[in-house]
Amino acid sequence: MSNLLLDDKPLVIQPKLAELLGDLDEAVILQQIHYWLEKRLNIKDGHSWVYNSMVEWNKQFPWLSLKTLKRKFKSLEDKGLLITGNYNKAKFDRTKWYRIDYDAFSNLGNALGQNDLTNVSNCPNAKGQNDTTNTIEYTENNNIDNTTTTDTTEIKIIYEFWKSNVGNLSPYLYREIQATYYDWKEVSKQPKDMILESIKMAIERDIKNINYIKTILKRWYDNRIYSLKDLENDQERFEKNKQRKSSKNKKKSMFMDAADQDHSKSAEEAWEAFWNG
């Protein structure tokens, strides 16, 4: 018999929830979000929240394409069942935070005559939940256990570079560097290299603090500079613009010098006279 029928942890589907939402996938997604909210890992403004990038969510719902998954989340938002927020430390981090509006969920169920939906509807504000859930225990993105061996190695390299070139790392700096790494990992295939480059730039300018480094990274993010190649291309554009401006200013200066030599001539005549000797 196929291992698919026995060995994997199953996602339990609540038929009434699927019927209520009119979508089987949305029912599974909502139940999984409820599962994470029960853990109460992130309490903000009196509510339990969960956050992941869509790429991470996709690992929990692998049968859906990323595009379809985004559409399912958007549908749950439009129905008023998912509330979104942004409590990310980095301003450039657009990862959405989610919580379920249990009141809206209950009202929707009552309107359709569904009084016994799922564990979800019996848990106002995600508090006091004692029922067990039957959802897959994937690691949420903000859980440190999600760190891969590669991540650990790269973050350690950043730590060591900082200690060797800037100074000791406080607990605050440890957290900031780690958070910045994961922010950049969302958009870049070279998060370590980009962070190291920003630290080097800060050292060159003798501004050795994490806020300045984050400002550099934000500028790169805003300009879609996500790799060392992007950075190289950006530097080339900067140098070319600098040369053009320098050349323009030099010509302007020479023009003014030529004009000053003979005030009886018009500016145009002076410029011509200068070049013609």
Side-chain angles (χ1 to χ4, degrees):
M1 184 177 293
S2 172
N3 288 337
L4 292 175
L5 296 175
L6 298 174
D7 291 349
D8 254 359
K9 283 187 177 181
L11 279 171
V12 176
I13 299 168
Q14 302 281 4
K16 289 183 180 179
L17 178 58
E19 181 182 359
L20 171 68
L21 298 176
D23 190 291
L24 188 62
D25 294 322
E26 289 182 17
V28 176
I29 291 169
L30 197 65
Q31 185 69 49
Q32 189 70 2
I33 291 174
H34 170 65
Y35 165 79
W36 281 114
L37 294 177
E38 280 190 295
K39 289 181 174 290
R40 300 180 63 75
L41 297 174
N42 305 290
I43 305 299
K44 303 289 184 182
D45 298 329
H47 296 283
S48 178
W49 296 81
V50 59
Y51 68 86
N52 266 328
S53 66
M54 276 297 152
V55 173
E56 290 298 321
W57 280 121
N58 205 195
K59 293 177 182 178
Q60 303 189 37
F61 315 108
W63 66 92
L64 296 174
S65 68
L66 189 59
K67 183 177 180 180
T68 299
L69 183 62
K70 290 179 181 179
R71 190 171 67 250
K72 299 295 183 182
F73 268 81
K74 182 64 166 56
S75 176
L76 288 169
E77 290 178 45
D78 292 342
K79 290 174 180 175
L81 300 177
L82 277 187
I83 295 176
T84 64
N86 187 337
Y87 296 94
N88 301 304
K89 292 181 180 179
K91 292 183 179 180
F92 58 77
D93 186 358
R94 299 175 184 177
T95 303
K96 281 187 176 182
W97 293 50
Y98 294 97
R99 69 178 178 88
I100 295 173
D101 188 336
Y102 290 99
D103 292 332
F105 185 85
S106 297
N107 292 337
L108 179 62
N110 292 335
L112 296 177
Q114 300 284 356
N115 297 317
D116 183 23
L117 293 170
T118 64
N119 293 343
V120 177
S121 63
N122 294 327
C123 179
N125 300 320
K127 297 178 180 178
Q129 176 65 31
N130 296 315
D131 298 331
T132 58
T133 56
N134 297 293
T135 50
I136 293 178
E137 177 143 2
Y138 291 95
T139 305
E140 188 190 6
N141 193 42
N142 61 316
N143 193 320
I144 196 168
D145 292 336
N146 194 45
T147 304
T148 66
T149 302
T150 301
D151 293 343
T152 302
T153 302
E154 293 201 335
I155 292 171
K156 185 177 179 181
I157 291 172
I158 298 171
Y159 288 159
E160 293 301 323
F161 184 83
W162 182 283
K163 286 192 285 187
S164 299
N165 295 277
V166 180
N168 292 329
L169 278 166
S170 65
Y172 167 77
L173 286 174
Y174 270 106
R175 292 193 298 271
E176 286 295 299
I177 289 174
Q178 186 181 59
T180 301
Y181 176 87
Y182 284 115
D183 286 342
W184 269 83
K185 188 181 176 184
E186 292 291 322
V187 297
S188 172
K189 294 181 179 180
Q190 298 177 297
K192 169 182 68 72
D193 297 323
M194 297 303 289
I195 294 172
L196 288 177
E197 285 299 313
S198 69
I199 296 174
K200 291 175 185 176
M201 186 176 291
I203 292 172
E204 289 173 0
R205 298 176 182 179
D206 199 27
I207 309 177
K208 303 174 183 178
N209 67 71
I210 192 67
N211 288 330
Y212 183 68
I213 290 166
K214 288 163 72 174
T215 298
I216 294 172
L217 290 169
K218 184 180 185 303
R219 185 255 173 189
W220 291 346
Y221 176 85
D222 290 343
N223 288 276
R224 298 181 180 277
I225 301 171
Y226 300 144
S227 67
L228 293 180
K229 184 62 178 177
D230 292 341
L231 192 58
E232 181 183 338
N233 292 338
D234 181 69
Q235 186 63 30
E236 288 179 1
R237 285 193 296 270
F238 174 78
E239 291 299 333
K240 287 179 181 178
N241 288 335
K242 186 177 178 181
Q243 289 174 7
R244 279 198 295 268
K245 288 181 180 179
S246 176
S247 178
K248 185 177 181 180
N249 290 335
K250 186 177 180 181
K251 288 180 180 179
K252 182 178 180 181
S253 176
M254 289 190 296
F255 171 77
M256 294 305 297
D257 290 342
D260 290 341
Q261 290 176 10
D262 188 350
H263 295 285
S264 65
K265 298 178 181 179
S266 67
E268 199 172 279
E269 289 173 331
W271 180 243
E272 186 176 350
F274 176 81
W275 285 109
N276 293 331

